[in-house]
C-alpha cells in the first residue's frame, strides 16, 4: 500500500488515510479516485461497508461521538473523535464504514434473539439508564438491577444491560407443585410479601416462570392416597395446614384418602413414611401398642389394644403392631389345647377371676382370641404313644418327675411340663450308634452326638443272647435284662456302660457298649513269648468263648457284670499261662508241637485213654480179645466198660479202625472263670519270631528246605523228561521208516495210474474228435432243415395276417361310413325340426297382424317422411353420375327401412 499513489474506491467502500503532517487519520468513502500526497499514507486496502441484515445487529467498539443530527464530531484536524472503551450496538441501519479507531467485536453480525413462549432472558443492568419498554413506558434501571424479559418476543440488546442467562419456565403437571425460595425480599405475584429464605409452594397447573427474586428448590410430587395407602406427616414449623388445623413443631398426624385423594406436603411439613392398610379377616386379630386416642389427640403409652377381624384400619403415628403383623386366631382341634398365663389381674369372659401369673388351659375344639391381659405360653397337642413309648413329665408344684408310658393319648395338664432327661455324652453317642444299626458296641473313642428327643422315655432294645444292666440312683439297686427284650429308663435310672478291651494286642477301653453279648464268639490277641533257648516269638491267638449262664437265673446273670473287663482280664490270664509254659521248652520243640503246648498251657491236662491221637469216648467201637466188636458204654479214670462189661486191660485192645489204646495225658475241654466265662478253644493264627536274627535264621532254614526240595523235584523232573524224550525219539524214528515205506508203495500206485491215464487220454482224444465232427455235421444239417421249415411257416402266417388285416380294415371303414351317414341324416332331420319349430313359434308369437304391419311399415314411412318435408321428391348428384328417379325416394328412406328390418330380425 505504501507504493500506491492513486486508489480507486467503489461504491460502499472506504479506506483510512494517515496525514503525517497533521498526525490525523482520515476516512475516505467511495465512489472516489483518490491521489495521495507525499505526506499521506494509505493504512489499508479498500474495505466494504459493514452491512447489517434485517433483524441482525453488530457491536462497534470505540464508537465515534455524534451530534444531535447524527453526524460525527470531528476535531480540528478533521479526524473523528472516538469514545474509547465504550461500545455501541447498531441494527436496522444502512451500510456504514468504520471510522479510524472503531472496530467490530464480532466479524459477522449477530441475529436478534427470538424468545419463544415459556422462555425468558434474565437481564442485568451494567450501568444506569432509562429502559423503554414495549408499551412506551420508561423504567429507570440502576446498575446491578436484574429483571426478566419473557417471550414470546424479540430481545433487542443494549450496551447498558447484559443477558445473565436464558431461563426456561417450569411446567407444573397434575399432582405436582414447585417448591420456591425467596432470594430477595419482595412481593410475589399473589401479593404476599416474602422474606429472604422463606419457602412456599406453587401448585397451579401449567408453566411457571420464576422471577429473579425467587428460585425453584425442587418439584414436589403429590402423594397419591388410596384405600390401601396412607401417610404419616411430621410438622417442622408451626403453621396451619390445608385442613385448617393448627400444627405445632414436632406434631405428627395421619392423612388418608378420606381427607384428600392427593397430598402435597408444604415446606413446613414432611412425609415421614407411607402406611399400608392393615386388613384383618374374620380369622385374624392384632394388638396395637401405644394406641392413638382421638379425644386427647395423643398416644396412650404402655397401653395395648385388641382389634378383632374382620377390620380395616391405618396405624396412627406412634402406633405399632405387636409382633409386627396380624396374628391368626388360635384354632384348636379335639386333641389340642392352649396353655394361658395371666399377665395382670382380671376377670375372664367366663366370670373367673384370674390373678397375675395364673396358669390354665383351654381345650379344643374351639377358636380362641387371647385378650390383652393373657399371654399364650404354648399350644399343646395330645401325644399318642404305643406300648413302648412314653414321656417324662415333671410336676411344676412338687418337682416330681415321672414316666408316662403308653399305650394312651396324653395331654399335659396346666401344672405339668415335659422334662428332659440328660445322659452322659458317652451314652448319647452309644444310643446314636444303635439307631444307625450297631448293636454290639462301637470302637469310636470319641462319643458321638445324639439327636433324640430328650423328653421322650429312653427305650432300648436288648439284642438276642445279650444282657443289659440298668442302675437306679434313687433306690441304689440295679436290674439285668436279657434279650431279646425292650427296656425303658425311669427318670432316676441310667445304663451301665460296658467298657471292654479291644485291638491286637488288647488295649483297655477300646470297646464301649450298653449290652453284653453272651456268646459263643471269639476274640483275638497278640502275645510275645520266650522259649528256654531265649527265642522270642510273637503269637496271634484266637479264643472261642461264651458265658455259661442261664438267662432265667437272675443271680447267675448278675455275675456276668462282676468282672468289668472280662476280655482284658481273660486275655491277660491266658497270656500269662502261655508265657510260663513256653519258658520251659526249646524253640525247636515249640515250633514242632506249638498247638499241643499252647492247649496244655491254657486248659491244663488230665489222665485219659488215648486212641488214634484223641481221647477214647463213649460210643467208640473196640475189638475185644476174642475178636468181638463192642461199643464203649462208660469210661472211668482207671477202667473202660463195654457192652459185655468192664475191660480188664484196655491197653491190650484196639479200636475198630486198628488204633491201639494207651494211657496218657490229654488237655481239658475248657477253661472256666468266676463270672461264667468259658474258653472252649484256642487257635494259633500266626507265629513269628520277634528277634530279627532268629527270624532271619528261620527264613534261611525254610528257604534251604524249599531249595533242597526244589532241586530234588527238578532232578526227578529232568530224569523223567529225558526218559520221555528218548522214548518219543525212538517212536518218531520208527514211525518215519514206516511212513517212508508206505510212501514208496503209494508212489508206485500213482505211477501205474498215471500210465493208464495217459493211454486212455490219447485214445479218448482221437475218438472224441471224430465223434464231435460227425455230431457237428448232423446238427448243422438238422438245423438247416428246421430253418427252412420255420421260414415257410412264417411266410404262411404273414400272408394270412395281411389278408385278415385287409378284411378287417374294409369292414371297419364300411361300418364307419354307415354310422356317419346315419348321423348326418339324423342331424339334418333334427335341425329341420328345430327351424320349423322356431319359425312356427316366431310367427305365432308375432301374430298375423304384426307381420302385416311390418310389411307395410317401409313404404308408409317413406310416404310420411316425404309429406313431412313437404317435398314431392329431391335429388342429390355430383353432376357426373346418371340419376335414377325411381329409387330416389327409396334411397332417402333407406335408413328407416334398415331400422325396420333390424326390428324384424330381432323379433325372429
Amino acid at each position: 500500500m505504501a507504493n500506491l499513489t492513486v486508489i480507486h474506491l467503489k461504491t460502499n467502500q472506504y479506506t483510512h488515510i494517515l496525514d503525517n503532517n497533521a498526525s490525523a487519520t482520515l476516512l475516505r468513502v467511495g465512489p472516489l479516485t483518490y491521489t495521495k500526497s507525499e505526506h499521506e499514507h494509505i493504512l489499508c486496502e479498500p474495505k466494504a461497508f459493514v452491512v447489517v441484515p434485517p433483524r441482525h445487529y453488530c457491536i462497534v467498539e470505540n464508537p465515534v461521538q455524534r451530534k444531535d443530527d447524527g453526524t460525527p464530531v470531528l476535531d480540528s484536524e478533521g479526524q473523528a473523535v472516538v469514545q474509547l472503551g465504550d461500545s455501541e450496538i447498531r441494527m436496522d441501519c444502512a451500510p456504514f464504514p468504520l471510522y479510524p479507531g472503531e472496530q467490530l467485536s464480532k466479524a459477522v453480525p449477530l441475529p436478534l434473539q427470538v424468545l419463544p413462549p415459556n422462555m425468558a432472558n434474565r437481564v442485568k443492568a451494567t450501568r444506569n439508564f432509562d429502559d423503554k419498554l414495549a408499551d412506551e413506558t420508561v423504567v429507570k434501571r440502576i446498575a446491578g438491577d436484574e429483571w426478566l424479559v419473557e417471550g414470546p418476543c424479540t430481545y433487542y440488546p443494549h450496551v447498558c444491560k447484559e443477558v445473565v442467562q436464558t431461563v426456561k419456565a417450569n411446567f407444573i403437571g397434575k399432582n405436582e407443585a414447585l417448591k420456591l425460595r425467596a432470594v430477595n425480599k419482595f412481593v410475589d405475584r399473589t401479593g404476599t410479601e416474602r422474606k429472604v429464605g422463606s419457602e412456599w409452594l406453587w401448585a397451579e397447573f401449567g408453566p411457571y416462570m420464576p422471577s429473579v427474586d425467587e428460585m425453584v428448590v425442587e418439584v414436589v410430587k403429590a402423594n397419591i392416597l388410596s384405600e390401601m395407602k396412607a401417610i404419616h406427616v411430621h410438622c417442622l414449623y408451626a403453621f396451619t395446614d390445608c385442613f385448617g388445623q393448627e400444627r405445632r413443631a414436632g406434631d405428627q398426624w395421619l392423612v388418608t384418602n378420606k381427607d384428600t385423594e392427593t397430598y402435597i406436603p408444604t415446606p413446613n411439613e414432611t412425609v415421614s413414611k407411607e402406611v399400608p392398610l392393615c386388613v384383618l379377616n374374620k380369622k385374624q386379630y392384632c394388638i396395637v401398642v401405644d394406641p392413638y386416642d382421638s379425644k386427647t389427640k395423643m398416644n396412650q403409652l404402655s397401653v395395648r389394644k385388641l382389634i378383632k377381624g374382620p377390620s380395616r384400619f391405618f396405624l396412627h403415628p406412634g402406633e405399632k403392631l405387636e409382633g409386627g403383623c396380624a396374628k391368626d386366631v388360635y384354632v384348636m382341634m379335639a386333641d389340642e389345647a392352649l396353655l394361658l398365663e395371666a399377665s395382670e389381674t382380671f376377670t375372664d369372659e367366663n366370670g373367673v377371676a384370674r390373678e397375675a401369673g395364673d396358669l390354665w388351659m383351654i381345650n379344643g375344639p374351639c377358636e380362641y382370641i387371647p385378650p390383652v391381659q393373657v399371654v399364650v405360653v404354648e399350644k399343646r397337642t395330645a401325644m399318642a404313644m404305643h406300648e413302648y413309648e412314653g414321656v417324662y413329665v415333671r410336676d411344676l408344684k412338687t418337682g416330681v418327675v415321672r414316666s408316662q408310658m403308653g399305650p394312651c393319648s396324653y395331654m399335659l395338664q396346666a401344672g405339668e411340663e415335659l422334662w428332659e432327661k440328660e445322659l452322659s455324652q458317652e451314652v448319647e453317642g452309644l444310643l446314636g450308634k444303635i439307631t444307625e444299626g450297631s448293636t454290639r458296641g462301637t470302637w469310636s473313642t470319641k462319643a458321638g452326638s445324639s439327636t433324640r428327643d430328650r423328653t421322650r422315655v429312653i427305650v432300648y432294645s436288648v439284642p438276642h443272647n445279650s444282657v443289659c444292666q440298668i442302675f437306679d440312683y434313687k433306690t441304689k439297686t440295679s436290674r439285668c435284662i436279657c434279650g431279646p427284650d425292650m427296656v425303658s429308663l425311669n427318670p432316676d435310672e441310667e445304663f451301665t456302660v460296658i467298657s471292654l478291651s479291644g485291638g491286637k494286642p488288647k488295649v483297655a477301653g477300646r470297646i464301649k457298649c450298653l449290652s453284653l453279648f453272651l456268646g459263643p464268639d471269639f476274640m483275638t490277641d497278640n502275645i510275645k513269648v520266650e522259649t528256654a533257648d531265649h527265642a522270642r516269638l510273637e503269637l496271634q491267638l484266637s479264643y472261642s468263648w461264651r458265658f455259661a449262664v442261664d438267662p432265667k437265673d437272675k443271680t447267675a446273670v448278675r455275675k456276668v457284670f462282676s468282672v468289668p473287663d472280662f476280655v482284658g482280664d481273660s486275655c491277660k490270664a491266658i497270656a500269662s499261662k502261655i508265657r510260663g509254659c513256653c519258658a520251659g521248652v526249646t524253640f525247636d520243640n515249640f515250633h514242632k508241637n506249638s498247638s499241643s503246648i499252647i492247649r496244655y498251657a491254657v486248659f491244663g491236662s488230665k489222665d485219659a485213654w488215648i486212641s488214634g491221637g484223641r481221647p477214647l469216648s463213649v460210643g467208640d467201637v473196640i475189638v475185644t480179645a476174642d475178636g468181638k466188636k463192642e461199643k464203649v458204654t462208660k469210661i472211668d479214670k482207671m477202667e473202660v466198660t463195654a457192652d459185655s462189661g468192664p475191660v480188664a486191660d484196655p491197653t491190650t485192645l484196639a479200636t475198630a479202625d486198628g488204633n491201639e489204646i494207651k494211657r496218657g495225658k490229654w488237655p481239658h475241654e475248657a477253661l472256666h472263670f468266676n463270672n461264667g466265662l468259658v474258653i472252649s478253644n484256642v487257635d494259633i493264627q500266626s507265629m513269628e519270631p520277634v528277634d530279627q536274627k532268629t527270624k532271619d535264621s528261620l527264613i534261611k532254614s525254610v528257604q534251604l528246605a524249599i531249595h533242597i526240595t526244589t532241586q530234588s523235584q527238578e532232578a526227578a523232573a529232568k530224569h523223567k523228561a529225558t526218559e520221555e524224550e528218548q522214548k518219543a525219539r525212538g517212536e518218531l524214528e520208527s514211525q518215519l521208516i514206516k511212513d517212508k515205506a508206505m510212501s514208496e508203495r503209494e508212489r508206485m500206485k500213482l505211477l501205474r495210474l498215471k500210465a493208464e491215464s495217459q493211454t486212455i487220454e490219447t485214445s479218448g482224444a482221437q475218438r472224441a474228435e471224430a465223434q464231435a465232427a460227425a455230431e457237428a455235421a448232423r446238427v448243422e444239417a438238422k438245423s438247416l432243415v428246421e430253418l427252412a421249415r420255420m421260414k415257410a411257416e412264417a411266410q404262411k402266417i404273414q400272408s394270412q395276417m395281411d389278408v385278415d388285416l385287409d378284411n378287417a380294415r374294409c369292414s371297419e371303414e364300411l361300418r364307419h361310413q354307415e354310422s356317419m351317414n346315419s348321423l348326418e341324416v339324423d342331424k339334418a332331420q333334427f335341425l329341420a325340426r328345430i327351424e320349423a319349430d322356431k319359425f312356427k313359434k316366431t310367427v305365432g308369437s308375432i301374430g298375423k297382424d304384426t307381420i302385416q304391419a311390418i310389411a307395410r311399415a317401409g313404404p308408409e314411412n317413406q310416404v310420411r317422411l316425404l309429406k313431412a318435408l313437404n317435398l314431392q321428391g329431391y335429388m342429390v348428384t355430383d353432376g357426373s353420375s346418371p340419376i335414377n328417379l325411381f329409387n330416389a325416394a327409396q334411397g332417402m328412406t333407406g335408413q328407416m327401412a334398415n331400422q325396420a328390418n333390424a326390428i324384424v330380425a330381432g323379433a325372429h
Side-chain angles (χ1 to χ4, degrees):
M1 296 300 296
N3 296 328
L4 294 177
T5 58
V6 179
I7 184 170
H8 300 280
L9 297 176
K10 299 178 181 180
T11 304
N12 293 335
Q13 285 188 340
Y14 72 95
T15 186
H16 293 164
I17 304 296
L18 175 63
D19 188 348
N20 292 321
N21 291 337
S23 297
T25 304
L26 307 177
L27 174 69
R28 296 291 180 260
V29 179
L32 175 67
T33 300
Y34 183 77
T35 303
K36 74 171 185 174
S37 302
E38 291 182 357
H39 62 276
E40 292 179 337
H41 179 70
I42 301 174
L43 296 180
C44 62
E45 294 181 354
K47 294 183 179 180
F49 279 19
V50 178
V51 179
V52 180
R55 299 190 64 78
H56 284 69
Y57 71 97
C58 66
I59 302 175
V60 179
E61 302 290 342
N62 304 322
V64 298
Q65 295 181 8
R66 295 185 183 273
K67 300 177 182 179
D68 295 337
D69 57 358
T71 58
V73 176
L74 302 178
D75 58 8
S76 59
E77 301 297 332
Q79 182 177 349
V81 179
V82 298
Q83 303 176 30
L84 295 177
D86 201 354
S87 61
E88 180 182 353
I89 296 176
R90 299 176 185 176
M91 66 185 74
D92 293 336
C93 61
F96 62 91
L98 292 177
Y99 284 88
E102 290 183 335
Q103 53 181 306
L104 294 175
S105 62
K106 300 289 183 180
V108 180
L110 303 175
L112 294 175
Q113 183 182 7
V114 178
L115 295 176
N118 300 325
M119 294 285 289
N121 280 344
R122 185 170 182 175
V123 183
K124 181 177 181 181
T126 58
R127 66 184 77 173
N128 299 339
F129 75 103
D130 293 336
D131 188 10
K132 186 177 182 180
L133 303 181
D135 56 358
E136 300 299 330
T137 58
V138 177
V139 179
K140 291 185 177 293
R141 303 292 185 185
I142 301 175
D145 285 352
E146 291 185 359
W147 68 96
L148 291 180
V149 177
E150 300 184 13
C153 68
T154 300
Y155 176 76
Y156 294 96
H158 195 278
V159 294
C160 297
K161 59 184 179 182
E162 64 178 359
V163 177
V164 178
Q165 64 178 355
T166 300
V167 183
K168 184 178 181 180
N170 297 83
F171 185 82
I172 304 174
K174 293 183 178 180
N175 298 326
E176 289 183 346
L178 288 181
K179 186 177 182 180
L180 303 176
R181 179 184 299 162
V183 296
N184 298 311
K185 182 179 180 181
F186 78 109
V187 177
D188 64 8
R189 63 188 65 186
T190 62
T192 304
E193 183 179 355
R194 303 293 181 183
K195 296 180 180 180
V196 178
S198 63
E199 294 181 350
W200 68 98
L201 290 181
W202 183 268
E204 184 178 345
F205 179 78
Y208 180 81
M209 182 68 70
S211 67
V212 295
D213 298 314
E214 59 187 355
M215 62 176 292
V216 177
V217 179
E218 62 178 343
V219 177
V220 181
K221 300 287 185 180
N223 293 275
I224 309 300
L225 305 180
S226 64
E227 294 183 355
M228 304 299 294
K229 186 177 75 172
I231 57 173
H232 285 174
V233 182
H234 179 71
C235 180
L236 302 176
Y237 310 101
F239 77 109
T240 301
D241 63 9
C242 60
F243 307 116
Q245 296 289 333
E246 293 185 359
R247 304 294 183 183
R248 294 178 299 175
D251 286 352
Q252 293 186 7
W253 65 95
L254 175 69
V255 180
T256 66
N257 67 331
K258 294 181 180 180
D259 301 325
T260 179
E261 294 182 354
T262 59
Y263 189 80
I264 301 177
T266 64
N268 299 317
E269 58 188 349
T270 181
V271 176
S272 57
K273 67 175 180 178
E274 293 183 354
V275 183
L277 180 66
C278 297
V279 180
L280 302 178
N281 58 31
K282 62 180 182 180
K283 294 292 184 180
Q284 289 181 327
Y285 72 98
C286 69
I287 296 177
V288 179
V289 181
D290 301 336
Y292 178 78
D293 189 354
S294 59
K295 296 181 180 179
T296 61
K297 306 296 183 180
M298 297 180 64
N299 292 85
Q300 300 177 2
L301 301 179
S302 302
V303 177
R304 300 164 71 237
K305 177 182 178 182
L306 175 65
I307 301 177
K308 300 180 181 179
S311 177
R312 295 158 57 94
F313 62 94
F314 290 104
L315 290 177
H316 286 265
E319 291 181 341
K320 60 182 178 180
L321 292 180
E322 189 175 66
C325 61
K327 301 178 182 179
D328 293 332
V329 175
Y330 290 95
V331 179
M332 292 169 289
M333 301 177 66
D335 58 343
E336 293 178 337
L338 286 179
L339 178 61
L340 306 178
E341 181 180 3
S343 59
E344 57 185 88
T345 303
F346 77 105
T347 302
D348 62 12
E349 62 273 10
N350 298 325
V352 180
R354 303 290 184 183
E355 297 292 335
D358 284 354
L359 293 174
W360 72 98
M361 294 182 68
I362 294 181
N363 298 315
C366 67
E367 293 181 358
Y368 183 74
I369 298 178
V372 294
Q373 300 88 354
V374 175
V375 177
V376 177
V377 180
E378 64 178 353
K379 186 177 183 179
R380 292 180 174 180
T381 304
M383 295 170 285
M385 299 175 290
H386 63 70
E387 182 180 0
Y388 295 106
E389 285 186 333
V391 291
Y392 297 113
V393 180
R394 185 170 75 94
D395 194 319
L396 296 176
K397 295 181 179 180
T398 62
V400 176
V401 181
R402 61 184 177 86
S403 299
Q404 179 65 40
M405 299 297 296
C408 67
S409 179
Y410 184 73
M411 172 74 73
L412 291 175
Q413 301 302 317
E416 295 178 342
E417 68 174 0
L418 293 176
W419 180 74
E420 292 186 356
K421 181 174 177 58
E422 297 292 337
L423 296 176
S424 64
Q425 189 176 4
E426 188 176 44
V427 175
E428 291 281 5
L430 292 175
L431 289 175
K433 291 291 183 179
I434 291 173
T435 57
E436 296 174 4
S438 175
T439 60
R440 297 287 299 277
T442 174
W443 284 76
S444 176
T445 57
K446 296 181 180 179
S449 61
S450 175
T451 58
R452 69 176 181 88
D453 185 359
R454 299 178 185 273
T455 61
R456 290 280 177 169
V457 172
I458 300 173
V459 179
Y460 176 63
S461 177
V462 182
H464 175 72
N465 201 25
S466 299
V467 61
C468 175
Q469 187 181 44
I470 296 175
F471 184 77
D472 190 338
Y473 285 93
K474 188 175 183 179
T475 61
K476 306 298 182 182
T477 58
S478 62
R479 56 190 177 104
C480 297
I481 299 93
C482 296
D485 197 357
M486 296 288 290
V487 59
S488 60
L489 287 186
N490 291 325
D492 300 316
E493 291 182 335
E494 293 287 344
F495 286 107
T496 299
V497 180
I498 302 170
S499 178
L500 303 177
S501 299
K504 294 180 290 186
K506 295 301 179 195
V507 178
R510 289 292 296 275
I511 301 176
K512 306 287 185 178
C513 56
L514 298 179
S515 59
L516 185 61
F517 186 60
L518 297 179
D521 203 347
F522 67 91
M523 52 187 174
T524 305
D525 190 18
N526 290 346
I527 63 174
K528 293 181 180 179
V529 299
E530 185 175 357
T531 60
D533 49 0
H534 304 291
R536 299 182 64 193
L537 303 175
E538 183 175 3
L539 307 180
Q540 182 171 329
L541 307 177
S542 179
Y543 312 119
S544 297
W545 62 270
R546 60 183 176 85
F547 281 98
V549 296
D550 185 6
K552 298 180 180 179
D553 188 354
K554 300 300 180 180
T555 304
V557 171
R558 193 172 286 107
K559 288 183 179 180
V560 173
F561 295 94
S562 61
V563 179
D565 184 7
F566 75 93
V567 175
D569 294 349
S570 60
C571 288
K572 290 178 183 177
I574 294 173
S576 176
K577 291 183 179 182
I578 293 175
R579 281 193 289 267
C581 183
C582 292
V585 298
T586 61
F587 171 73
D588 189 28
N589 185 16
F590 181 77
H591 188 267
K592 295 178 180 179
N593 305 302
S594 58
S595 177
S596 59
I597 291 174
I598 290 176
R599 288 183 63 84
Y600 278 113
V602 174
F603 300 116
S605 61
K606 61 179 180 179
D607 294 333
W609 300 98
I610 300 174
S611 174
R614 66 178 183 83
L616 189 66
S617 59
V618 176
D620 289 343
V621 179
I622 60 175
V623 181
T624 60
D626 54 0
K628 294 182 178 180
K629 295 183 178 181
E630 297 181 358
K631 289 184 178 181
V632 177
T633 59
K634 184 179 180 182
I635 299 176
D636 292 334
K637 293 183 179 180
M638 300 305 298
E639 64 179 11
V640 176
T641 304
D643 293 336
S644 58
V647 179
D649 188 4
T651 57
T652 60
L653 304 179
T655 57
D657 52 5
N659 294 322
E660 295 181 354
I661 299 174
K662 59 183 179 180
R663 188 71 173 175
K665 295 289 186 177
W666 191 257
H668 289 285
E669 294 182 356
L671 176 63
H672 297 270
F673 290 88
N674 294 333
N675 62 340
L677 178 66
V678 177
I679 305 297
S680 59
N681 192 16
V682 179
D683 179 28
I684 304 175
Q685 294 182 344
S686 66
M687 179 177 61
E688 293 183 0
V690 177
D691 188 14
Q692 187 64 32
K693 292 182 178 180
T694 306
K695 188 174 183 179
D696 294 341
S697 301
L698 181 60
I699 292 174
K700 288 181 180 179
S701 62
V702 172
Q703 290 178 350
L704 182 60
I706 293 173
H707 181 65
I708 293 172
T709 305
T710 303
Q711 286 183 346
S712 62
Q713 290 178 354
E714 287 181 355
K718 286 182 180 180
H719 177 72
K720 188 174 182 180
T722 304
E723 183 180 358
E724 295 293 335
E725 183 181 0
Q726 293 295 332
K727 288 182 180 181
R729 189 176 297 172
E731 292 178 356
L732 180 60
E733 290 179 355
S734 61
Q735 187 66 31
L736 287 174
I737 295 172
K738 291 179 181 179
D739 292 342
K740 287 181 179 180
M742 186 178 294
S743 176
E744 289 297 327
R745 287 196 297 271
E746 294 296 330
R747 193 168 65 82
M748 291 175 63
K749 291 181 180 179
L750 178 62
L751 293 175
R752 185 167 57 253
L753 292 173
K754 283 184 177 181
E756 293 178 357
S757 175
Q758 187 68 27
T759 303
I760 294 171
E761 182 179 358
T762 303
S763 59
Q766 294 176 357
R767 185 164 54 250
E769 288 178 0
Q771 291 178 356
E775 184 68 22
R778 186 179 65 81
V779 170
E780 184 176 2
K782 187 176 180 180
S783 299
L784 292 175
V785 174
E786 185 68 22
L787 180 61
R789 186 180 63 78
M790 293 179 68
K791 283 183 179 181
E793 291 181 356
Q795 188 66 30
K796 181 180 178 180
I797 293 170
Q798 183 68 31
S799 300
Q800 185 65 31
M801 288 296 293
D802 292 341
V803 173
D804 293 342
L805 184 59
D806 292 339
N807 293 335
R809 186 182 297 110
C810 291
S811 61
E812 289 297 326
E813 289 179 355
L814 179 61
R815 186 167 56 255
H816 176 68
Q817 188 63 36
E818 290 177 354
S819 299
M820 292 301 293
N821 294 337
S822 177
L823 290 173
E824 288 293 335
V825 171
D826 293 341
K827 179 180 180 182
Q829 291 176 356
F830 185 70
L831 290 176
R833 285 195 300 271
I834 291 174
E835 288 296 329
D837 293 341
K838 178 181 178 182
F839 182 76
K840 183 178 179 180
K841 291 179 179 179
T842 302
V843 172
S845 61
I846 295 175
K848 187 185 299 185
D849 297 336
T850 305
I851 294 173
Q852 291 176 0
I854 292 173
R856 291 194 302 266
E860 290 178 355
N861 287 337
Q862 295 176 2
V863 173
R864 291 174 183 172
L865 179 61
L866 293 175
K867 288 181 178 181
L869 295 175
N870 198 17
L871 294 176
Q872 297 296 324
Y874 71 92
M875 177 178 61
V876 179
T877 178
D878 57 356
S880 61
S881 300
I883 301 171
N884 187 356
L885 297 175
F886 180 78
N887 294 327
Q890 185 177 0
M892 295 173 61
T893 59
Q895 183 177 3
M896 299 299 293
N898 290 335
Q899 292 179 356
N901 293 334
I903 294 172
V904 173
H908 285 286

